[in-house]
Amino acid sequence: MKIAIVSGKDEGPTKLNAFDNALTDAGIGDVNLIKVSSMLAKNTEITELPKLKAGAMVNCVLSEITSDNPGDEITAVIAVAIGEELGCVVETTGINENPEDLTNEARKMVEYMMEKRGVKTKELIIEKSTATVEEIASVVASVVYLNDEIIEG
Amino acid sequence: MKIAIVSGKDEGPTKLNAFDNALTDAGIGDVNLIKVSSMLAKNTEITELPKLKAGAMVNCVLSEITSDNPGDEITAVIAVAIGEELGCVVETTGINENPEDLTNEARKMVEYMMEKRGVKTKELIIEKSTATVEEIASVVASVVYLNDEIIEG
Amino acid sequence: MKIAIVSGKDEGPTKLNAFDNALTDAGIGDVNLIKVSSMLAKNTEITELPKLKAGAMVNCVLSEITSDNPGDEITAVIAVAIGEELGCVVETTGINENPEDLTNEARKMVEYMMEKRGVKTKELIIEKSTATVEEIASVVASVVYLNDEIIEG
């Protein structure tokens, strides 16, 4: 299994458009995202996000939050734990919550998931996107599951 | 990529059953719908909805709203913009909102998505379903992604 | 089409972890769940849940509820009706609602779906998970769609 870990943020004229712009900023704006729950196969490899085919069906874990309340600090976090037998992903978001606290919560939750399964964490990656809303803004962080079918060229 | 654009509406004895009846009215009641976000591949072709296999796994963008408040006017809208390089889909719904306004909002949002991507819109289709609730009603509008695996016969 | 019908429940240190533990209790904690709506193909066969590959993409109908309010009685119900031409699934949940009532509602809704389609029910299965919350608890019930790709070994 190969995954890419990405994040993005942007403003937009509507909540939907801000969200769409944030996805584009993360490099996943031109595909169809199918949300899945949050497990990784054994020997999962993390790579750079390749160019995806427009309109491809792409499985992902998505952390996203959008706000139209100027001044809000919005944060999307993904925590990824990689182990030999399997891996786990946690996503969490917050409005006007300390990004550091959110990150710690996500780390704790994913560590607990690994411990509960008796799997040793070989690598733990946190991806985070934070923004202060000007008019309407969205932040996203995502684990994107890759396969040959969805990669361009 | 081939898609069908459909809509439906119906009443039912519960919210779940009203929704299910509206899906059946739209021709997609006997399949498993997997909701995806909203991008179309290059050269997307719009066709009539073929007969789908019962229980097939069908990717779709789904706009749906259900109400058990008699007198409510409920509306589900899908706006589809087709371009050479890719296409975009927007879904929106409203309760007691002017269907014309909802349609215009959806059109504007999808036009913005195309402009932002620098893709020229060759065709723009709006699909809308509106109903006034008698007891419990549901309206749906959907872009259904087609492939040989899910088509009957 | 082959399906397994499972359920589980557990406590955990956060809502996310309680939910994850309940999925593990149900035997589907190590896979990626993709939620689909609720139709079964003709000649659907019910089997025991096999060992699934860690990180596999698994289609399912999922009924789940999580509460961090000690004393709450939480219930997740799945009702499955199998017919010759197709089958239907209903999921419902409740907090501090009579599990018997929830079960009856689910049964009625799925019977209505079958009648509406003019399909005779050959078999009707109810799966239910109920728990009284100690600190943070989750209950799940699920129809898991099986195929060779997701089964271990």
Side-chain angles (χ1 to χ4, degrees):
Chain A
M1 184 178 266
K2 283 188 182 182
I3 60 167
I5 302 174
V6 299
S7 62
K9 58 181 158 185
D10 206 350
E11 297 266 325
T14 67
K15 283 175 133 191
L16 183 148
N17 287 314
F19 174 49
D20 182 52
N21 290 345
L23 290 177
T24 297
D25 185 45
I28 51 176
D30 289 352
V31 297
N32 285 297
L33 299 173
I34 301 177
K35 284 193 209 180
V36 307
S37 66
S38 47
M39 298 301 303
L40 303 176
K42 57 182 171 186
N43 305 319
T44 289
E45 200 183 312
I46 301 173
T47 70
E48 291 292 300
L49 184 71
K51 171 103 176 104
L52 303 177
K53 285 180 198 163
M57 299 294 166
V58 176
N59 294 319
C60 71
V61 181
L62 186 64
S63 176
E64 63 103 352
I65 191 154
T66 303
S67 165
D68 56 4
N69 187 24
D72 273 356
E73 185 186 41
I74 52 177
T75 303
V77 177
I78 287 272
V80 181
I82 307 273
E84 196 126 333
E85 302 90 332
L86 56 74
C88 295
V89 182
V90 159
E91 55 96 356
T92 191
T93 59
I95 299 187
N96 297 324
E97 288 187 63
N98 187 327
E100 215 58 37
D101 291 350
L102 286 170
T103 297
N104 287 336
E105 278 166 35
R107 178 182 288 114
K108 266 189 217 163
M109 286 193 282
V110 84
E111 282 173 348
Y112 174 90
M113 285 173 76
M114 295 292 275
E115 273 166 41
K116 190 83 183 179
R117 286 167 172 84
V119 178
K120 208 181 144 197
T121 300
K122 293 198 305 184
E123 200 180 348
L124 200 153
I125 304 103
I126 306 277
E127 182 84 20
K128 186 182 63 183
S129 181
T130 301
T132 302
V133 180
E134 288 173 33
E135 296 191 17
I136 303 173
S138 183
V139 291
V140 301
S142 178
V143 170
V144 182
Y145 295 80
L146 302 172
N147 65 59
D148 292 342
E149 252 179 90
I150 65 171
I151 297 174
E152 184 77 70
Chain B
M1 185 178 264
K2 283 189 183 183
I3 59 167
I5 303 174
V6 299
S7 62
K9 58 181 158 185
D10 206 350
E11 297 267 326
T14 67
K15 282 174 134 193
L16 184 147
N17 286 315
F19 173 48
D20 182 53
N21 290 344
L23 290 176
T24 297
D25 186 44
I28 50 176
D30 288 353
V31 297
N32 284 297
L33 299 172
I34 302 177
K35 284 193 208 179
V36 306
S37 65
S38 47
M39 298 301 303
L40 303 176
K42 57 183 172 186
N43 306 319
T44 289
E45 200 184 313
I46 301 173
T47 70
E48 290 293 300
L49 184 72
K51 171 104 175 103
L52 303 177
K53 285 180 197 164
M57 299 295 166
V58 176
N59 294 318
C60 71
V61 181
L62 185 62
S63 175
E64 63 103 352
I65 190 154
T66 304
S67 165
D68 55 5
N69 188 24
D72 273 356
E73 185 185 41
I74 53 177
T75 303
V77 177
I78 288 270
V80 182
I82 307 272
E84 195 126 334
E85 302 92 330
L86 55 74
C88 294
V89 182
V90 160
E91 54 96 357
T92 191
T93 59
I95 298 188
N96 298 324
E97 288 186 64
N98 186 328
E100 215 59 36
D101 292 350
L102 287 170
T103 298
N104 287 335
E105 279 166 35
R107 179 183 286 116
K108 266 189 216 163
M109 287 193 282
V110 84
E111 283 173 347
Y112 173 92
M113 286 173 75
M114 295 292 275
E115 274 167 39
K116 190 84 183 178
R117 286 168 172 83
V119 178
K120 208 181 144 201
T121 300
K122 293 196 307 182
E123 198 179 347
L124 201 153
I125 304 102
I126 307 275
E127 182 84 19
K128 186 181 63 183
S129 180
T130 301
T132 302
V133 179
E134 287 173 35
E135 297 190 16
I136 303 174
S138 183
V139 291
V140 301
S142 177
V143 170
V144 181
Y145 295 80
L146 303 172
N147 65 59
D148 290 344
E149 252 180 89
I150 64 171
I151 296 174
E152 184 78 72
Chain C
M1 183 179 267
K2 282 187 184 185
I3 60 169
I5 303 173
V6 300
S7 62
K9 58 180 158 186
D10 206 350
E11 297 268 323
T14 67
K15 283 175 135 193
L16 183 148
N17 286 314
F19 174 49
D20 182 54
N21 291 344
L23 290 176
T24 297
D25 186 45
I28 50 177
D30 289 352
V31 298
N32 285 297
L33 299 172
I34 301 177
K35 284 193 209 178
V36 307
S37 65
S38 48
M39 298 301 303
L40 303 176
K42 57 184 171 185
N43 305 319
T44 289
E45 200 183 314
I46 302 173
T47 69
E48 290 293 300
L49 184 71
K51 171 102 177 104
L52 303 177
K53 285 181 196 161
M57 299 295 166
V58 177
N59 294 319
C60 71
V61 181
L62 186 63
S63 176
E64 62 104 352
I65 191 155
T66 303
S67 165
D68 55 4
N69 189 23
D72 273 356
E73 185 185 41
I74 53 178
T75 304
V77 178
I78 288 270
V80 181
I82 307 272
E84 196 125 334
E85 302 91 334
L86 56 73
C88 294
V89 182
V90 159
E91 53 98 357
T92 190
T93 59
I95 299 188
N96 298 324
E97 288 186 63
N98 187 327
E100 215 60 36
D101 291 350
L102 287 169
T103 298
N104 287 335
E105 280 166 34
R107 178 182 287 114
K108 264 189 218 164
M109 286 193 283
V110 84
E111 283 173 348
Y112 174 91
M113 286 173 75
M114 295 292 275
E115 273 167 40
K116 191 83 182 179
R117 287 168 171 84
V119 178
K120 208 181 144 197
T121 300
K122 293 197 306 183
E123 200 180 347
L124 201 154
I125 305 103
I126 307 276
E127 183 83 19
K128 187 181 62 182
S129 181
T130 301
T132 302
V133 180
E134 288 172 33
E135 296 189 18
I136 304 173
S138 183
V139 291
V140 302
S142 177
V143 170
V144 182
Y145 295 80
L146 302 172
N147 64 60
D148 291 343
E149 253 179 87
I150 64 172
I151 297 174
E152 184 77 72

